[in-house]
């Protein structure tokens, strides 16, 4: 099997990356291979080839690995140089459904590694595999995991851990931070080159538009607003919405300390390093707007020859984000609530549910809306919900039960299940991982015990960036 790679990024954007070679994994062992995805990509490779190619043990023929440059605002502070410090882009695969990047993550040091070791442990790589597959199964745009291969190497985090490489597939790895890298250096030629590349790759219809860069900004705003509204619908908390972790394609990218919220609380934060709650559940739409403003800043010189006018144009688009987000969120909520058509009272109905369901399990509350007996035990105080339900029933009408169960998952990757699967995998037992993976790949199929919230003894869940 050979992969027919193309290398448009390397070809079209000289000066935006550095050559780098993945480390050779000493004893690659395939832990997970995404067969539905290899099939979709037209890759008919063997397990042995997958173990070699997706660990860096042996590069697939035609791969031409590079590390991409990018910058980023991390927790609000600007780092002018980040870049792929532990990832290698092998190339792009052309398929009937488009062009996809194939990237290795955890594959060794690159010129962008700074003090890091360029490696990853199997826990975090399997975590990205699980959560990104869950997102995909939920219909939310995301990069996808192709394989996780244990390298046979031990790496140091707080303790010694088995190392692994994740192979992932993405519509592209262009980030808000890609634009920032060049804008911060005053390299306007490369900002334009990256914008032209992004337009050609993701929004080709815009190339002929009268104002392609403004339309491009609009298109990215639309894609990311839609994405975050979908995150909010399933209770997903990304955890590190730094500008280098926001993809221009509108896919969810860079799964680190992310997790799904269980009991609904707007201030929910899982990441151990997010002390201020910058990336808390309810802050995600606001941070989205902030990140998009950082993208807009890089595009200002392309919007109009007159700088004042350019800023005015950009600000006009940015000021529309809150309203656009609200409309997308309401669309998500209408779907979750099984509401057909638009009614002026849908917004207060959805808002009042948010107040009524505080503390109750996010996923199961929606799933059980039509079954009051099953709903009640999710609440410590059912009174607000009891008042809300008749309003909803009156609006939802006939067929609501079916619409609700089609729109609301039964199974999400529950934190305690994810932890149990990753701990077992780190200790050499992949069975819980594969069992959980098959449950989350069919999220609308009820499957005990994967539907149940964490037992009370599980305590407050904390996730780590040491990924
Ligand atoms: P992340 O938090 O994974 O989005 O990464 C933020 C930045 O840190 C990126 O530039 C990564 O390439 C870099 N980075 C993260 N972990 C490592 C590591 N183990 N070695 C080198 N660079 C890393
Ligand atoms: Mg990142």
């Amino acid at each position: 099997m050979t992969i027919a790679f193309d290398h448009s990024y390397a070809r079209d954007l000289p000066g935006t990356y550095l050559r780098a070679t993945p480390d050779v994994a000493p004893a690659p062992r395939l832990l997970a291979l995404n067969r539905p995805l290899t099939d979709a990509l037209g890759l008919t490779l063997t397990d042995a080839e997958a173990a070699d190619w997706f660990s860096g043990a042996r590069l697939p023929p035609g791969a031409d690995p590079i590390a991409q440059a990018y910058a980023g605002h991390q927790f609000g502070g600007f780092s002018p140089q980040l870049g792929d410090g532990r990832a290698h882009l092998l190339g792009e695969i052309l398929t009937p459904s488009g062009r996809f990047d194939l990237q290795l993550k955890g594959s060794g040091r690159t010129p962008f590694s700074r003090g890091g070791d360029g490696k990853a442990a199997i826990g975090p790589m399997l975590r990205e595999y699980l959560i990104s597959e869950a997102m995909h199964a939920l219909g939310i745009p995301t990069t996808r995991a192709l394989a996780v291969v244990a390298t046979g190497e031990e790496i140091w985090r707080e303790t010694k851990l088995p190392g692994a490489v994740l192979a992932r597939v993405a519509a592209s790895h262009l980030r808000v931070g890609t634009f920032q890298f060049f804008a911060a250096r005053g390299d306007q030629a490369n900002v334009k080159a990256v914008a032209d590349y992004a337009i050609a790759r993701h929004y080709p219809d815009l190339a002929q538009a009268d104002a392609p860069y403004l339309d491009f900004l609009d298109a990215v705003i639309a894609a990311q607003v839609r994405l975050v509204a979908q995150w909010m619908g399933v209770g997903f908390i990304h955890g590190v919405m730094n500008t280098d972790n926001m993809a221009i394609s509108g896919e969810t990218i860079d799964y680190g300390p992310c997790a799904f919220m269980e009991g609904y609380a707007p201030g929910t934060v899982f990441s151990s390093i997010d002390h201020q709650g910058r990336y808390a559940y309810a802050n995600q739409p606001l941070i989205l707007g902030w990140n998009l403003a950082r993208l807009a800043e890089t595009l200002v010189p392309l919007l109009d020859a007159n700088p004042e006018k350019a800023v005015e144009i950009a600000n006009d688009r940015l000021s529309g984000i809150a309203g656009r987000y609200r409309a997308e969120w309401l669309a998500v909520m209408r779907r979750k609530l099984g509401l057909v058509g638009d009614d002026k009272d849908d917004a207060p109905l959805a808002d009042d549910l948010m107040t009524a369901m505080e503390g109750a399990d996010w996923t199961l509350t929606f799933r059980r809306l039509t079954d009051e007996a099953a709903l009640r035990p999710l609440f410590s105080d059912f009174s607000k919900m009891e008042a809300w339900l008749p309003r909803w029933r009156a609006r939802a009408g006939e067929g609501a039960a079916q619409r609700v169960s089609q729109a609301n998952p039964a199974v999400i990757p529950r934190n305690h299940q994810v932890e149990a699967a990753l701990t077992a995998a780190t200790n050499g037992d992949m069975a819980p991982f594969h069992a959980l993976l098959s449950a989350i790949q069919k999220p609308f199929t009820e499957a005990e015990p994967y539907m149940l919230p964490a037992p009370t003894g599980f305590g407050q869940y904390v996730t780590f960036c040491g990924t």
Side-chain angles (χ1 to χ4, degrees):
M1 165 75 200
T2 56
I3 299 177
F5 280 114
D6 188 40
H7 302 279
S8 70
Y9 186 94
R11 191 169 55 235
D12 296 354
L13 295 172
T16 68
Y17 59 89
L18 293 167
R19 301 233 162 250
T21 310
D23 286 351
V24 175
R29 193 163 49 84
L30 189 61
L31 299 180
L33 178 63
N34 196 336
R35 280 289 175 195
L37 185 55
T38 59
D39 291 351
L41 295 171
L43 305 179
T44 51
L45 74 184
T46 64
D47 281 10
E49 282 171 327
D52 280 355
W53 291 355
F54 302 145
S55 67
R58 193 162 57 87
L59 285 181
D64 194 4
I66 59 169
Q68 293 175 308
Y70 53 86
H73 277 90
Q74 300 180 300
F75 289 90
F78 186 61
S79 300
Q81 182 174 309
L82 294 168
D84 289 333
R86 54 156 173 181
H88 295 83
L89 176 64
L90 298 184
E92 301 138 22
I93 308 175
L94 299 176
T95 77
S97 47
R99 175 185 295 270
F100 293 97
D101 278 6
L102 175 55
Q103 192 203 56
L104 301 184
K105 181 169 169 182
S107 40
R109 287 177 55 79
T110 76
F112 298 110
S113 295
R114 295 167 292 158
D117 63 359
K119 306 284 183 181
I122 73 172
M125 295 303 99
L126 288 173
R127 196 178 151 74
E128 172 154 346
Y129 193 122
L130 268 180
I131 312 274
S132 59
E133 277 306 285
M135 296 295 265
H136 174 73
L138 290 164
I140 300 177
T142 177
T143 64
R144 288 189 72 188
L146 189 59
V148 174
V149 185
T151 57
E153 224 175 27
E154 291 193 306
I155 64 162
W156 275 100
R157 288 296 178 261
E158 248 115 71
T159 59
K160 238 199 272 186
L161 292 170
V165 172
L166 168 80
R168 73 176 176 193
V169 171
S172 83
H173 285 82
L174 293 168
R175 306 147 190 271
V176 170
T178 315
F179 289 81
Q180 291 182 289
F181 182 90
F182 300 104
R185 283 161 180 74
D187 182 351
Q188 205 44 51
N190 264 324
V191 173
K192 181 173 181 304
V194 172
D196 289 338
Y197 179 85
I199 290 170
R201 185 154 173 184
H202 295 298
Y203 306 104
D205 296 348
L206 304 184
Q208 308 308 325
D210 292 339
Y213 304 108
L214 182 60
D215 290 353
F216 169 66
L217 175 62
D218 258 338
V220 179
I221 289 173
Q224 291 196 356
V225 160
R226 214 176 306 126
L227 178 69
V228 173
Q230 286 180 275
W231 289 357
M232 299 300 278
V234 295
F236 176 76
I237 302 171
H238 183 285
V240 248
M241 286 178 72
N242 294 335
T243 54
D244 51 306
N245 292 335
M246 295 302 290
I248 295 303
S249 64
E251 288 183 338
T252 314
I253 194 169
D254 279 7
Y255 292 83
C258 59
F260 284 75
M261 178 171 65
E262 297 219 324
Y264 170 52
T268 303
V269 173
F270 292 114
S271 170
S272 64
I273 59 166
D274 191 359
H275 305 295
Q276 314 289 320
R278 180 180 172 88
Y279 299 136
Y281 175 74
N283 264 1
Q284 296 186 121
L286 299 172
I287 291 294
L288 168 72
W290 194 90
N291 288 344
L292 286 166
R294 304 289 79 74
L295 175 66
E297 280 166 2
T298 73
L299 297 175
V300 160
L302 297 173
L303 297 182
D304 198 280
N306 173 344
E308 275 174 33
K309 178 127 184 275
V311 169
E312 205 177 295
I313 293 170
N315 278 335
D316 172 64
R317 298 309 154 113
L318 293 171
S319 65
I321 290 175
R324 288 168 84 160
Y325 171 76
R326 177 78 177 160
E328 286 292 346
W329 181 81
L330 195 54
V332 166
M333 281 299 148
R334 280 199 179 100
R335 217 180 146 254
K336 287 180 77 65
L337 295 176
L339 308 181
V340 179
D342 295 0
D343 186 293
K344 68 174 175 26
D345 292 330
D346 290 347
L349 187 69
D351 288 337
D352 292 346
L353 173 63
M354 295 300 102
T355 312
M357 69 178 281
E358 209 159 315
D361 188 84
W362 178 267
T363 305
L364 291 180
T365 296
F366 285 97
R367 183 79 189 177
R368 295 181 179 171
L369 273 179
T370 52
D371 180 353
E372 192 173 327
L375 191 60
R376 218 170 249 280
L378 301 175
F379 287 74
S380 54
D381 173 0
F382 198 63
S383 57
K384 283 193 188 125
M385 202 61 192
E386 200 149 33
W388 181 87
L389 278 170
R391 285 169 61 199
W392 171 69
R393 285 192 194 109
R395 166 69 176 96
E398 287 283 293
Q402 199 190 1
R403 289 194 296 276
V404 163
S405 63
Q406 282 168 353
N408 293 288
V411 178
I412 52 151
R414 296 270 174 189
N415 300 323
H416 65 296
Q417 296 285 2
V418 171
E419 282 309 302
L422 301 187
T423 302
T426 300
N427 295 323
D429 176 11
M430 288 298 294
F433 173 88
H434 286 294
L436 176 58
L437 180 64
S438 28
I440 57 110
Q441 282 172 332
K442 298 182 291 293
F444 299 96
T445 305
E446 309 227 338
E448 300 256 9
Y450 296 106
M451 292 166 60
L452 301 179
T456 44
F458 186 64
Q460 182 68 39
Y461 188 52
V462 179
T463 55
F464 297 93
C465 248
T467 48

